[in-house]
């Protein structure tokens, strides 16, 4: 459900070329390294700057907002997924 609170992770995908698709698994962690929330994002790279900044976001609860300290992103890139 929509909470109005989000965790946003911004990242670059090394080596991606224009018109390639990507699928990324993201996880947000608290200061102790405990996973708070995990989600997926996918899309297609674009010209003129396929190596630019990408992002993924998901809803979190108001209680989780002050706990978020870091995130991890793992991506797969292909000509088509």
């Amino acid at each position: 459900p929509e909470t109005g609170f989000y965790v946003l992770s911004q990242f670059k995908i090394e080596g991606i070329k224009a018109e390639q698709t990507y699928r990324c698994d993201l996880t947000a962690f608290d200061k102790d390294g405990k996973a708070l929330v995990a989600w997926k994002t996918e899309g297609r790279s674009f010209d003129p700057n396929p190596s630019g900044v990408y992002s993924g976001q998901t809803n979190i609860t108001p209680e989780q907002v002050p706990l978020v300290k870091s995130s991890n992103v793992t991506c797969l890139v292909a000509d088509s997924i």
Side-chain angles (χ1 to χ4, degrees), residues 4-79:
F5 296 89
Y6 303 91
V7 59
L8 171 70
S9 183
Q10 294 183 316
F11 51 93
K12 289 191 173 196
I13 303 173
E14 295 295 325
I16 195 167
K17 297 175 179 65
E19 301 304 317
Q20 286 187 305
T21 54
Y22 62 88
R23 182 176 298 143
C24 301
D25 294 315
L26 301 94
T27 306
F29 297 95
D30 68 11
K31 66 180 172 82
D32 297 322
K34 179 183 170 195
L36 293 170
V37 63
W39 71 103
K40 297 178 184 300
T41 190
E42 59 184 44
R44 189 181 228 20
S45 60
F46 49 86
D47 271 333
N49 188 16
S51 61
V53 176
Y54 294 85
S55 66
Q57 70 180 34
T58 192
N59 279 303
I60 57 174
T61 65
E63 297 77 27
Q64 289 174 310
V65 171
L67 302 177
V68 175
K69 296 298 178 196
S70 65
S71 64
N72 184 59
V73 182
T74 304
C75 297
L76 296 172
V77 176
D79 290 333

